[in-house]
Amino acid sequence: MQYFMEPTGVAIIGASQDFKSINGKILKYLLKHNYLGKIYPVNPKYKEIGGITCYPSVDAISEQVDLALIAVAAARVPSILRDCGAKGIKRAVIFSSGFAETGAEGKEIQVETLKIAQEFGMRLIGPNCLGILNVSSGLIASFSASMEMDSIKSGSVALVSQSGAVGFMLFNLLQEAGVGVNFVITTGNEVDATAGEGLAYVVENPNTRVILTYLEGLRDGESFKRTAEKAAESGKPIVALKVGNSASGQKAAATHTAALTGSGAAYNSYFDKMGILQAKDSDDVIDLAQAFLPGKLPQGAKIGIVTMSGGVGILLADRSEEWGLQVPELSEALQEEVRKVIPAFGCAQNPVDVTAQSLNQGEEFKKCLNILLASDELDMLIVAITMATGKMAEKIGLDIAEAALETEKPLVVCWSVGQVAKPGFDVLKNAEVPLYHSPARAAKAMGALYRYANFQRNWKKTSAEEIDLVRQAKIQLALKESSKALTEHATKEILELYGLPVTKEFVAKSAKEAVSIAEKMGYPVVMKIDSPDILHKTEAGGVAVNITSAQEVEATFKEIMEKGLIYNPQAKINGILMQEQVPQGVEVIIGLQRDPVLGTQIMFGLGGIFVEVLKDVVLKPVPLSREDSQEMLKEIKGAALLNGVRGRPAVDKEALVEILLGVSQLAVEAGEDLLSLDINPVTVLPQGKGAKILDGVLVGSGL
Amino acid sequence: MQYFMEPTGVAIIGASQDFKSINGKILKYLLKHNYLGKIYPVNPKYKEIGGITCYPSVDAISEQVDLALIAVAAARVPSILRDCGAKGIKRAVIFSSGFAETGAEGKEIQVETLKIAQEFGMRLIGPNCLGILNVSSGLIASFSASMEMDSIKSGSVALVSQSGAVGFMLFNLLQEAGVGVNFVITTGNEVDATAGEGLAYVVENPNTRVILTYLEGLRDGESFKRTAEKAAESGKPIVALKVGNSASGQKAAATHTAALTGSGAAYNSYFDKMGILQAKDSDDVIDLAQAFLPGKLPQGAKIGIVTMSGGVGILLADRSEEWGLQVPELSEALQEEVRKVIPAFGCAQNPVDVTAQSLNQGEEFKKCLNILLASDELDMLIVAITMATGKMAEKIGLDIAEAALETEKPLVVCWSVGQVAKPGFDVLKNAEVPLYHSPARAAKAMGALYRYANFQRNWKKTSAEEIDLVRQAKIQLALKESSKALTEHATKEILELYGLPVTKEFVAKSAKEAVSIAEKMGYPVVMKIDSPDILHKTEAGGVAVNITSAQEVEATFKEIMEKGLIYNPQAKINGILMQEQVPQGVEVIIGLQRDPVLGTQIMFGLGGIFVEVLKDVVLKPVPLSREDSQEMLKEIKGAALLNGVRGRPAVDKEALVEILLGVSQLAVEAGEDLLSLDINPVTVLPQGKGAKILDGVLVGSGL
C-alpha cells in the first residue's frame, strides 16, 4: 500500500489538456495541489500539457514510475495495463466503471485485468473507484469535484471507503467542518487491493489520529482483525459506517460492488468487541471525527452542561443520559464558586445556566468554564450557546477555545443557530474545538467519547487458552468424518473434552441393557433415540422423560425404536440414549456460528419462550475472556432472571461462565472445520449447584 | 390570544432610543419589520424616538392600546402593570426575568403581578419569555438577535415554545433553512397565558399548516386535547420537542420554569394517540417542518431511492427500513423504462443508481424522476445527490424542483456535501423542496411523513360509550367512601358493573359457611383473606390455592384467620373470600393510572416475569376504541405468546379486548375520583374459552 500512497512518480494514462474531462481533472488537481513527486502525462496527441512533458506511451518515459492512474473506458484497460506492466510500473489505480458491477461482460474484463496485473506482479486499486489522496505530499489522485477547493486542509484524520462517492462526500463534509485529512483511499470493486489493506496502512501511519471508514463488506477478516487490534493498542479510534444491514440494503450491497458481505450481526459483535464506533449516518462520521480529534477522553461518566438557555440545558441533559452519561448536581461548594461568576438570575446547579447576559460580560463566562473544568466533580463539559452574532459570537468563541486549550478534559460546543454566528464558528473550527449545531449531536459525540474511553480502559487483547493439539485433532476428526450434523451423543463426547458438564448418559443397544443402565444411574431417567439420521428427535417420537421404573424403561425402549423406524425406515439407529434427568432450573441456550469473514461468534440467551418470542440473545466473537463471559450474562434483557425473581434463587452464574469459556475454546480449536454448535438447553441450577447441558448439535463446515 | 397576536396598537414601556438596549431593540425591530399597527413608545425621557412620538406615561396615550410590551426589571413590573390596567390595556407581554424561576422573592413578585392583572381583567404572557411574533402583520415583539435579519420569511409554520431561547433558536434555524413562519409564541413562566392557549390559537389560524412546539410540561390538559383533536381533524401535523424525560432533565425542568410536568410516559402515549410527532432534537424539528410543509403525504410505505452513488443508495435503504418503509424492487417493465434514461453503468432496480454521469446529461435525469413518480409501484421518492457544484448543482436543483412541483407524492432531497453545492440548495429552498444534508435525516423525514399519513388514515375521534349515570354514581360513591385502596372483593364488585369477567366468589364469615360455599361452587377452590386493612394478602399468609375438600376448607379457614390477626392485630377482617379456581392460561395485567395533566392511561402487559423482568407493557390514553385495544395486544414485545408458542394454543384475544374496553369505560365514568386500578393477573384461556380476572385493586384519588 505504501507504493500506492507514497509514489515518487505518477503516470496519467490518457491525460487530457481539457481540464474539464476526467483525465484532464486528474492532471489538473495534481498540479493545483502541488504534488511533490514527478508527473508523467501519457497521450500521443500532446507534446506537453500545462507546461509538463507529455509522453506518447508509457514506455517512452525514461524514469522509474511507481504509480499509473487509469481512467479510460473499461474495454481499453487490459491493454493499457499490459503496457504499464511491460514498463515495470508496479501499482495502478483504475478509476473506470464498467466492470463487475455492471454484469457478466464487465466481470470478464475485470477477471482479465486482474490476470494481467498478477502476470506483471502489479497491484491494483479499483476499478470503479474515485482514487486516493495523500494530502501532505499533494498526491491528489482523484477527479472528484471536491478537489476544486483552493487548498485542502491537511490533518490527521484518515478515510478509507469502499464507495468512491461516499468517500469523497465524507471528505468534503470534513473539510467543510474544518477537519484536516491526511489520507483518503477509495477501493471500489476491490479486484485486488482491499479496504482492509487501506485501513492497515492508515492505522500504521504515525500521523493518523482518527480513522473513518465506509464498509459494505470486508474480504479479509484476519487482516482486518490485526488492524483493529493495532488501532486499539495505539488508541486510534475507528469510526465505521457499515451498510447493507437491512434486507434491501443487503440486496443493494450485493449488486453494487458484488462484495462478500458478512452478516450484520457478526460485524456488530466484532465492532463492539474492538471499540469500533458504528456510525449510522454521514453526520455521525463527521461529528465523531471532530470529537476524537483533540485526543482527550473523559475519565468517567459525569458531564457538565453550561448553557445560556434553561431549555437547551434540559434538552442536553435528556440526550446525554440516553448515552449513559450522568448529569450530577454540583456540590454546594462548587455552586458557590460558580455563583460568583454568573448573573443572579442564573442557575449554578448542573445544567449551569449562565443566561444570555453572559454575552455582555467580560471575563466571567470564561472563568465559569475554567472553574467547572478544574473541578473533579465533572469529567467533560458541553457548552451550549444559543443566539450570539458578530463580534459577540467571536468573543464567545475565543473564550471557549481558550478554555478548551487549557484543559485535558473533553469540551464540545453546541451552538444551534444559523450563519449569524459564523464569526464564532470560525474561531472554534480553527482551534479544532468540536462544534455541533444541535443538542442531540453534541450529546451523541460526548457519548461516543465516553464509550471509547471505557473501551480503552478495559480493552486487552483476548487470547484463547493454549491449543491442546490432541483435543484439536479429535474435534477436527469428528467434524470431518461427519458430513452433516453430529448426534446429540457424539456432540456431547466432544463437549466433554472441554470439561463441559454434559448429562451422564449411555447408549443402550437393547431393552435389557437400558434397564441395567437405568438401575445403575437411578430413576427418574430420560430416554432419547440415538441415530445420525434422526436429528429432530421429539418430532420422531424419540424422547421420553420422567421414566421411573424398569418396567417403564422396557416399554419405552420398544416404543421409541418402533416410532423411530416409522419416522425414517432407512435410519441407522445406534440405540437409545439413557440419560440422567436433571432437576428444574433456568434454561439457557449457547451457540456458535462461524461467519465466513469475521470468524466464529458465540451466542448466549435465555431458553424457552425468551429466545423464541423475544430473541433475547447476545453475540460475541471468540475467544472470550472471563470478563466477556460475565458481561454476556448481564447483557441479555432478561438478565434479572439469572439473579432470581419472584422468590426463585439466583442461578449458578459461575458455572455458566465456565461453560461459555469452554465453548469458546472449542471454537478456537475447531477453527474453520466448525460451522455451528447449538447447545439447547443448558439447565442452570441454583448457585453452587452447577449447570447441565441437556442437548446439543455440532455441525461441521464440510471443509 | 387573538388580542395578543393581532393588536391594533402596541405600547413599549420604557422604550429606549439606544437601539442596542433591550427596550431599544423591541422598538427597533417593530420599526424595521414594518409593523402594520400603531406603536406607542413610553418613556418620560424622550419626546420622540426614531420619528415616532414618545409618551411620558401610558395614560398620556389618547388612543386605544391593545398590547403592552414590558421589559423592565422585575421589581418595577407590578407598578407598570397597574398603570397599564388603569389605562385599559387588556394584554401585556412581560419579557423580564427575575420572577419565580429565581426563588422565593421572585415568586412573590410573580404572584403580585398576576393579582394585579386579574384585578384589571388583563391577560399576560411571560414573564421570563422572549416575546411573540406575528410575521405577516410585522408584529415583531421580541428582542432576540434573530430579528436582526434584513427580512423575515413569512410562511405557514407556527412555533409555540415554553422556552424563549429555544423558541427563537428554532425560529432562526427555520429561517436559515428557508422555512417561512407565521407565528412565534414564547410563554416563559406562564403566570397566566399558557403554551396550550398559544397552540389553540395557531392551530385555529387558517394560515397555519405545520405546528412546532417546545414543551416542558403542560398545565391545561383538557384544552390541549381539544387543540390536538382540532389539529388532527384539520390535518395539521404537530411536531413536539418535549423535554424533561430524563432524571436530570426532569430536575432541570422543575427548576427552570417551575412547570407542572406530567410524567413522560403519559405524554408519549397521548402524543402517539394523537399523531403528534415527537422530536428529540432541534434538527428533528426543522427537518420535519420542511417535510410537512409541501402538504403531501404518502399513500403507502413504498419508497423509491434515486442516487448518483451506490453507497449512498444502500445507506438510504438501510435507514428507510428502520422507519418501517419498504424499498421494493421495481417491476421488470418499470426497470426497462428507467433503463432508457439512465447510463448503461447505472442500476434500474431500487435504489435506482443514475450514476454521476447524469450530471452531464440533458433531460434524462428529470425524465427518470418523472417515470418513478408516475409509477404506482412507489409512494414517495428520495433523490440523493452527492458531489455537484456551481451551474451543474443549479441545474440538478431545478430538475428536482420541477419534478417535485408536478407530483402529488412526497419528494425529498438528500444532498450531503458542503457549500460547494449552494446554487442547488438555493433553488430547492426557494421551491420549498425538503432538503437534507445527510441520508439518515432524509430517511427520518420520510419516516415521519409515512407515520403521520397512517395516523391521518386511521384516526377518528374515539369517544367512550355513553355514560351510565347509575353505574357512575356507584363507582364514584365507592371511591369516595374509601379513603384508600378497595379490597379485592370490593374492586371486583365494581368491575362486575362493567360486565368484566371476575372470578365467581363469595365471602364466608365462618368455616361452616366456607364449606357450604365451596361445596356449592365445586372443588378446587381458592381462599383469600378479605380485609380492607390487609392489602398484601400473600405476605399476610392470607392466600391458599388448590383446596379440594371440606376438611381442607375448614382447616384453611382457621389458619388464614389466625395468620391475618398475627400480621395485623388491628385489622378488620370481613371474612374469607371463597373463589373458584381458574385453570392455567396466559397471565396478563391491566392497569389504570391517572396523570394529573393528561388524564387516565390504560396499561396492558404480560404478567409474571414478563412484566417484572422485562417491563413489557404498553400504555394508551382512555377512552380506547376497539382498534386501540386490538393494537395494544399487538404492541407488547411478547405478543407472540398470545398467539400460542411452543405448542400452546392461541388465547382468547377477543375476551381480552372486551376487558380492555370495559376498563376504559370504567376510567371514563370514574373520572377524577380514580387514582389507579391494578388488575393482576387476568388469566386468559384458549380461544373461545374467555378470560378471568383473578385479583384487582382500585384506588380512589381522595378528591
Side-chain angles (χ1 to χ4, degrees), chain B residues 653-673:
Chain B
K653 288 196 267 185
E654 200 38 51
L656 211 39
V657 166
E658 290 298 333
I659 295 179
L660 287 168
L661 288 171
V663 171
S664 163
Q665 183 66 19
L666 180 156
V668 171
E669 292 182 7
E672 298 199 347
D673 290 320

Side-chain angles (χ1 to χ4, degrees), chain B residues 102-336:
Chain B
T102 57
E105 205 180 323
K107 193 163 184 178
E108 222 168 273
I109 310 178
Q110 186 165 315
V111 170
E112 195 192 345
T113 301
L114 179 61
K115 238 182 74 192
I116 296 164
Q118 285 170 339
E119 208 174 289
F120 290 99
M122 187 188 274
R123 300 285 325 264
L124 305 177
I125 283 182
N128 189 24
C129 77
L130 279 179
I132 56 177
L133 311 187
N134 178 346
V135 178
S136 64
S137 73
L139 177 76
I140 304 303
S142 174
F143 57 85
S144 165
S146 291
M147 307 308 126
E148 291 290 343
M149 57 183 79
D150 290 334
S151 75
I152 295 176
K153 186 169 177 183
S154 175
S156 46
V157 170
L159 186 53
V160 177
S161 173
Q162 289 184 319
S163 155
V166 173
F168 282 96
M169 168 184 111
L170 294 173
F171 169 77
N172 185 275
L173 293 171
L174 286 169
Q175 293 280 310
E176 183 95 4
V179 176
V181 172
N182 55 357
F183 304 109
V184 177
I185 302 175
T186 69
T187 54
N189 285 9
E190 298 195 346
V191 63
D192 180 14
T194 62
E197 289 176 81
L199 284 168
Y201 172 79
V202 301
V203 167
E204 291 278 354
N205 191 288
N207 182 30
T208 302
R209 289 223 302 267
V210 180
I211 299 99
L212 312 176
T213 185
Y214 166 91
L215 295 174
E216 293 172 2
L218 286 165
R219 284 156 211 269
D220 40 8
E222 286 312 312
S223 107
F224 178 73
K225 286 182 184 179
R226 283 192 298 277
T227 301
E229 275 174 13
K230 178 85 191 173
E233 271 163 16
S234 51
K236 298 180 179 182
I238 299 177
V239 178
L241 186 55
K242 166 76 178 70
V243 298
N245 293 331
S246 66
S248 57
Q250 262 173 350
K251 191 189 68 189
T255 58
H256 177 50
T257 52
L260 173 64
T261 307
S263 80
Y267 279 95
N268 289 341
S269 98
Y270 186 72
F271 285 3
D272 274 359
K273 179 188 173 111
M274 294 309 298
I276 295 172
L277 295 128
Q278 286 213 61
K280 297 283 247 172
D281 193 19
S282 47
D283 278 355
D284 289 355
V285 177
I286 311 305
D287 290 352
L288 268 52
Q290 284 191 66
F292 282 108
L293 208 46
K296 296 170 185 174
L297 294 178
Q299 296 295 310
K302 301 189 300 295
I303 189 164
I305 298 169
V306 175
T307 179
M308 299 192 170
S309 141
V312 174
I314 305 170
L315 200 47
L316 281 165
D318 279 7
R319 294 296 90 79
S320 296
E321 289 194 358
E322 287 169 0
W323 291 103
L325 304 177
Q326 295 157 15
V327 189
E329 194 168 321
L330 305 183
S331 70
E332 196 39 58
L334 186 52
Q335 288 195 38
E336 207 167 306

Side-chain angles (χ1 to χ4, degrees), chain A residues 182-393:
Chain A
N182 55 359
F183 304 110
V184 177
I185 301 175
T186 69
T187 54
N189 285 9
E190 298 195 345
V191 63
D192 180 14
T194 62
E197 288 176 79
L199 285 167
Y201 172 80
V202 302
V203 167
E204 290 279 353
N205 191 288
N207 181 30
T208 301
R209 287 224 304 268
V210 180
I211 299 100
L212 312 177
T213 184
Y214 165 92
L215 295 173
E216 292 172 4
L218 288 164
R219 285 157 211 268
D220 39 8
E222 285 313 311
S223 108
F224 178 74
K225 286 181 182 179
R226 283 191 300 276
T227 301
E229 275 173 12
K230 178 86 191 172
E233 270 161 20
S234 50
K236 298 180 180 182
I238 299 177
V239 179
L241 186 56
K242 166 75 177 71
V243 298
N245 293 331
S246 66
S248 57
Q250 263 173 350
K251 190 190 68 190
T255 57
H256 177 48
T257 54
L260 175 63
T261 307
S263 79
Y267 279 96
N268 290 341
S269 99
Y270 186 72
F271 285 3
D272 273 0
K273 178 187 176 112
M274 294 309 298
I276 295 173
L277 295 127
Q278 285 213 60
K280 297 283 248 173
D281 194 18
S282 47
D283 278 355
D284 288 356
V285 176
I286 311 305
D287 290 353
L288 268 54
Q290 283 191 67
F292 282 107
L293 208 47
K296 296 170 185 174
L297 294 178
Q299 295 297 308
K302 300 189 300 296
I303 189 164
I305 297 170
V306 175
T307 179
M308 301 192 167
S309 141
V312 174
I314 304 169
L315 200 46
L316 280 166
D318 279 7
R319 293 297 88 81
S320 295
E321 289 194 357
E322 287 170 359
W323 291 103
L325 305 176
Q326 294 156 17
V327 189
E329 193 167 323
L330 305 183
S331 69
E332 195 39 57
L334 186 53
Q335 287 195 38
E336 207 168 305
E337 265 195 275
V338 168
R339 247 175 267 144
K340 287 177 195 155
V341 293
I342 66 172
F345 304 150
C347 170
Q349 291 175 19
N350 190 17
V352 174
D353 189 347
V354 299
T355 83
Q357 272 200 20
S358 298
L359 292 171
N360 302 316
Q361 292 178 329
E363 291 305 301
E364 281 84 352
F365 174 67
K366 191 174 166 248
K367 277 186 196 153
C368 177
L369 299 184
N370 288 338
I371 290 168
L372 293 169
L373 286 166
S375 161
D376 56 12
E377 294 178 31
L378 298 173
D379 301 309
M380 57 197 125
L381 198 65
I382 293 189
V383 184
I385 315 296
T386 32
M387 190 45 72
T389 59
K391 283 267 170 235
M392 216 173 247

Side-chain angles (χ1 to χ4, degrees), chain B residues 672-698:
Chain B
E672 298 199 347
D673 290 320
L674 176 139
L675 183 66
S676 71
L677 167 67
D678 273 302
I679 302 183
N680 183 13
V682 180
T683 293
V684 198
L685 300 168
Q687 204 152 11
K689 301 256 163 82
K692 280 276 182 185
I693 292 171
L694 301 197
D695 202 348
V697 186
L698 195 50

